[in-house]
Amino acid sequence: MLDIIVVEDNKEIGKLLFDFLQKEHYTVSVVDTGEKAIALFERYGAKLVILDLMLPGIDGFAVCSRIRESSNAHILIASARTQKEDKLKGLNLGADDYIDKPYDVDILLAKINGIFKRKYAQEEMISGDIKLNTVMQTVYLAIGTEPERSWQPVETTAKEFELLKLLMENSGVTLKKEYLFHTIWGSDSESEMQTLTVHIKWLRHKIEKDPKHPVHIITEWGTGYRFE
């Protein structure tokens, strides 16, 4: 899942927002038509959609309505259509907020940061270069260093996510194999203990820079695993 989708047909504004939002460490994608916005959202999803109204083809109102049919993602309309009727229509279709164009980028960023702080802060676990969203069940790896650091999504299975979350919640503590297995797979599972070893291997290939020499998921031989 993306953090933000920007729907903006003005390429200069789209590029400006993309650069600013990446510097704030958001995963962001910019599209310039309503059709592309719907296709991107249906494929990846997003926590926040910054939506222009005057778009080629399907307009922003239709995009807002389509997204709201299946998602409670935060929708922020950013438009030069500043009449009361337009604002009411957007809000009645399910938009959460409305900002007039032209806007101050710093004000927009403050709004965005406030949205993520209020709505999503409690949903995230961050440890070094790994970030988990516990509601969306998504994993991200940090790419690059400050101030150009960004978060790259990593595909994990449900069990891989549960396992990584459990290890991160007990960071620095060695968890026994039996405890990990019974917690994730259940005491009545028909799977074998080897399943845990396989999932640890898969996780290392996804989150470790060198899976053969892991620095996050550490093996305590004869006991279990520890997250660092």
Side-chain angles (χ1 to χ4, degrees), residues 162-214:
E162 291 176 24
L163 180 56
L164 181 58
K165 179 174 177 287
L166 182 58
L167 287 166
M168 288 181 66
E169 287 174 338
N170 296 275
S171 181
V173 178
T174 299
L175 300 180
K176 293 184 177 181
K177 291 182 179 180
E178 292 78 9
Y179 172 77
L180 289 168
F181 180 78
H182 291 311
T183 301
I184 302 301
W185 281 272
S187 57
D188 58 347
S189 172
E190 295 181 0
S191 300
E192 298 181 358
M193 187 67 70
Q194 182 65 21
T195 300
L196 171 62
T197 305
V198 172
H199 278 71
I200 291 290
K201 180 181 178 180
W202 289 343
L203 268 178
R204 283 174 171 161
H205 276 281
K206 293 180 178 182
I207 68 170
E208 302 279 6
K209 291 182 179 179
D210 182 357
K212 293 183 178 180
H213 300 89

Side-chain angles (χ1 to χ4, degrees), residues 41 47-51 60 63-65 67-68 71-77 90-91 93-98 115 119:
F41 188 88
K47 299 175 184 177
L48 168 65
V49 178
I50 302 174
L51 180 61
V63 175
C64 179
S65 179
I67 290 174
R68 191 53 77 223
S71 172
N72 64 350
H74 199 99
I75 300 175
L76 170 60
I77 292 178
L91 295 171
L93 286 173
D96 297 283
D97 202 353
Y98 202 112
I115 290 167
K119 196 168 183 178

Side-chain angles (χ1 to χ4, degrees), residues 3 18-19 21-28 128-131 140-153:
D3 287 329
F18 180 83
D19 291 341
L21 293 171
Q22 274 215 324
K23 288 180 180 178
E24 293 290 315
H25 312 312
Y26 294 112
T27 55
V28 55
D129 59 355
I130 300 176
K131 177 169 70 173
Y140 300 88
L141 288 183
I143 304 298
T145 56
E146 301 290 357
E148 302 299 326
R149 192 185 202 195
S150 62
W151 294 98
Q152 179 73 34

